[in-house]
Amino acid sequence: MVTNTYLHTNGPASLRLTALADGRLRVGVWDSHPRVPAPFARPPHDHVPLAPSDADGGRGLRLVQEYADCWGGVSLGDGTLDYRAGKLLWFEVSG
């Protein structure tokens, strides 16, 4: 998710790792672009298609789908001066 932020957005970004009480790890990535990509914009049963075997990229979000217990994303708006603008994507994995 951090790589996608770096490749597809212009502006600030942040990564937050949170250890949850039940042994899970939550990974959250915020960036300044408001569009929420698949699979985060869809219910968990909708999957990103496999990347062609000769492709240089396109596997990261599929890996999130395969290994995360749950995930989600929310658009926070597109105001240029609003510090809440952009999106927040997250996923959780069991320890």
Side-chain angles (χ1 to χ4, degrees):
M1 291 186 335
V2 173
T3 300
N4 283 355
T5 295
Y6 178 77
L7 292 175
H8 301 293
T9 66
N10 296 324
S14 67
L15 168 68
R16 175 179 262 179
L17 304 175
T18 305
L20 302 173
D22 59 359
R24 290 176 298 137
L25 175 68
R26 178 179 290 154
V27 178
V29 176
W30 171 85
D31 68 51
S32 58
H33 194 283
R35 188 181 70 78
V36 177
F40 298 94
R42 300 185 204 157
H45 59 274
D46 291 339
H47 286 280
V48 173
L50 292 172
S53 60
D54 59 346
D56 290 334
R59 293 173 183 84
L61 295 181
R62 178 66 185 216
L63 288 171
V64 168
Q65 282 188 315
E66 292 298 320
Y67 294 105
D69 297 316
C70 57
W71 60 84
V74 62
S75 177
L76 303 171
D78 58 2
T80 56
L81 299 177
D82 186 352
Y83 71 92
R84 296 172 297 145
K87 68 178 165 290
L88 175 66
L89 304 179
W90 61 271
F91 67 88
E92 294 177 4
V93 292
S94 299

